[in-house]
Amino acid sequence: MKQRQTNYYLICVTVEQFEQAKSKLSTLKNDPGNEVKLKIYALFKQATQGPCNTPKPGMLDFVNKAKWDAWKSLGSISQDEARQKYCDLIGSLVEAESGSSAQVSAQPAGSGATYETLLVTKEDDITTIKLNRPAKKNAITTEMYNEIIAALEQAATDDSVITVVTGAGDFYCSGNDLTNFTKIPENGVEEMARHGADLLRKYVNAYIDFPKPLVAVVNGPAVGVSVTVLGLFDLVYATERATFHTPFSQLGQSAEGCSSYIFPKLMGAAKASEMLLFNKKLTAVQACELGLVTEVFPDSSFQSEVWTRLKAYAKLPRNSLALSKQLIRSVEKERLHAVNDAEVERLMERWTSDECFNAVMSFFQAKAKL
Ligand SMILES: CCCCCCC/C=C/C(=O)SCCNC(=O)CCNC(=O)[C@H](O)C(C)(C)COP(=O)(O)OP(=O)(O)OC[C@H]1O[C@@H](n2cnc3c(N)ncnc32)[C@H](O)[C@@H]1OP(=O)(O)O
C-alpha cells in the first residue's frame, strides 16, 4: 500500500488527475460518513484556495463551523500536498468500495497496507495499530514515526469506528529510539535537528487532528513521547504493570506531545512539573488518579476486559462518536497546534546542545559496559 500510495501521489500532481478524482467522488455508492466528507471538503478548499483565510463562523452555525475547522486544521500545507492527499483519499474510498465485500476478520488494514515496524489490523470495526519492535521495547525509529503517521492517516479515513494504539511484547513503548540522535547527516547536527523537528511536528499533529475516538491500550511501561501524546487520546486503558516516565531533563531535552500544556491542565502544575521537569515515574494507579489514565486493569485480565469493552463501544453509531469527539477537542485544536510548534522549536535547539549530546552518549556507554 505504501508503494501504491506513493505512486498515486506522483500521478496525482496534475490538474487533470485532480479533476478526475473530483469526478470519481460523485460515483461513490456509499456515504463515507461526515468526518470523511469534512476531510474531503477541507482538502479540496486547501487544494484550490490555499490555507483557510475566511472569518470563523459563529458557534451556532454548526455546519459551516465544522467545515471551517476542518479546513483550518490543515494549517499551511501546500496546495500541491493537499491535491495529492485529496486524490489519495478519493482513491482509497473508490478502492475500499470495490474490495469491501471481501472483508475478512483481522485483515491488514488499509486494503493491504504493510508496515515494517507496526502490525495494523482491522476487526470488529476497530483499527489496531500495534507498535512492533518488542526486542527494542518498541522504541520509535524515524521509520516508525513515519509509519505511525501513515497508519493514523489511513485509520482516519477507513470505515472503522475506533482506533487503538498498543504495543507488542512486555512494553508499551520506550519512547524515541535514541539511535535517532546518532545518525548525523553530512550537513551536521543542525540538519538532523531540523529533520527531527519536522518529523516530530507532523507526528504530534497526526494525533491532534485525528478525527475518530482514539484509544491507548497501554500494555506495559511507557516512556517519553509515548507518554506525552497520551493527553491527545480519548481513552487510556492501562495494565496495573504499566508505568509512565518522561525523563526529559535527564536527557537534556524538554517536553513534547503538547504535554507542556495538557499535563498541567490535567493534573495541576505541581504534579506536571514533577513528571516533566524532575523525571518522576508514575505507577498506573497514580497516573489514573492524576487523570492521565482512564482506568487501570489487573494484568491477568487486562486484554480480555479491555477488548470486550472496546468491541461494545465500536458498535455505537460511528458519526455520533466522531462528531462528539470533535466537539470536545475542536475548541483546543488551534492552541494545541501552537503548543506543538513551540515545543518542537525548543527541542530543535535542545538537540544541538551539549546537555543532550552527553546524555545520549551516556545511554550508549552504559549499554556498552553491560
Ligand atoms: C527523529 C524525531 C525525534 C523526535 C524525538 C521526540 C522526543 C522524544 C523524547 C523521548 O521519547 S525521551 C525518552 C527516550 N527513551 C529513553 O530514554 C528510554 C531508554 N531506554 C531505557 O531506559 C531502557 O532500555 C528501558 C526502556 C527502561 C528498558 O529497560 P530494560 O532493562 O527492561 O530493557 P533493555 O535491555 O534496556 O532494552 C532492550 C533493548 O532495547 C533497547 N532500547 C530500549 N529503549 C530504547 C530506546 N529508547 N532507544 C534505543 N534503544 C532502546 C535497549 O538498548 C536494548 O537493546 P539491546 O541492548 O538488546 O541491543
Side-chain angles (χ1 to χ4, degrees), residues 240-252:
E240 66 194 345
R241 212 169 44 74
T243 51
F244 299 82
H245 192 202
T246 51
F248 299 130
S249 38
Q250 216 165 290
L251 289 165

Side-chain angles (χ1 to χ4, degrees), residues 135-137 145 174 176-178 224-225 251 256 351 363 367:
K136 298 289 179 186
K137 310 293 180 192
Y145 282 110
S174 62
N176 184 50
D177 190 308
L178 295 172
V225 68
L251 289 165
E256 21 57 0
W351 290 332
F363 174 77
K367 206 171 118 150

Side-chain angles (χ1 to χ4, degrees), residues 252-254 346-356:
Q253 299 188 36
S254 50
R346 170 63 55 238
L347 266 173
M348 198 161 53
E349 173 269 313
R350 290 282 76 215
W351 290 332
T352 62
S353 71
D354 286 348
E355 287 182 346
C356 178

Side-chain angles (χ1 to χ4, degrees), residues 48-85:
T48 54
Q49 295 180 28
C52 178
N53 56 2
T54 58
K56 188 173 183 170
M59 278 302 281
L60 296 177
D61 188 357
F62 294 116
V63 174
N64 284 320
K65 182 159 177 311
K67 286 170 145 182
W68 187 91
D69 283 341
W71 184 13
K72 186 80 180 166
S73 75
L74 293 178
S76 58
I77 71 164
S78 69
Q79 287 181 272
D80 269 350
E81 191 181 344
R83 251 200 304 274
Q84 287 168 354
K85 287 191 164 166

Side-chain angles (χ1 to χ4, degrees), residues 302-319:
F302 178 60
Q303 296 290 345
S304 64
E305 283 195 59
V306 162
W307 287 103
T308 303
R309 193 174 305 181
L310 291 177
K311 283 176 194 173
Y313 286 173
K315 291 195 169 64
L316 292 166
R318 76 179 64 234
N319 292 339

Side-chain angles (χ1 to χ4, degrees), residues 166-172 217-221 237 239 241-242 299 302-303:
T166 190
D170 60 344
F171 254 67
Y172 175 66
V217 172
V218 185
N219 56 298
Y237 290 147
T239 167
R241 212 169 44 74
D299 197 51
F302 178 60
Q303 296 290 345

